[in-house]
């Protein structure tokens, strides 16, 4: 899947595309902490597909001063 946009709506479309590709599988995605991965618009979708989709986040980056 390709897109010209990098926003929560495009990520939501990617999630739907991914689940459509693996209809009888549990999908685990390893993600960073980009805002689009935590957007409120995703919450209903994630709740609806919680049995099929799991997010694992990298630890937050430590800022050195």
């Amino acid at each position: 899947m390709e897109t010209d946009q990098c926003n929560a709506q495009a990520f939501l479309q990617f999630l739907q595309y991914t689940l459509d590709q693996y209809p009888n599988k549990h999908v685990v995605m390893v993600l960073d902490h980009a805002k689009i991965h935590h957007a409120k618009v995703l919450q209903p979708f994630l709740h609806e597909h919680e049995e099929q989709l799991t997010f694992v986040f990298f630890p937050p980056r430590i800022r050195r001063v």
Side-chain angles (χ1 to χ4, degrees):
M1 179 179 167
E2 288 187 39
T3 184
D4 294 329
Q5 300 175 4
C6 185
N7 57 35
Q9 191 60 42
F11 184 54
L12 185 59
Q13 291 173 351
F14 170 73
L15 293 175
Q16 185 62 63
Y17 171 82
T18 301
L19 293 183
D20 290 345
Q21 296 301 305
Y22 301 97
N24 298 315
K25 303 287 184 182
H26 186 87
V27 177
V28 177
M29 291 189 176
V30 180
L31 304 169
D32 61 14
H33 287 274
K35 288 182 182 182
I36 65 171
H37 298 153
H38 295 280
K40 289 183 181 180
V41 71
L42 301 177
Q43 297 312 309
F45 181 88
L46 296 177
H47 182 69
E48 182 180 340
H49 295 93
E50 64 188 357
E51 297 295 323
Q52 190 181 7
L53 182 63
T54 299
F55 287 173
V56 176
F57 290 96
F58 285 117
R61 209 174 1 162
I62 299 173
R63 295 181 129 177
R64 295 184 184 198
V65 181

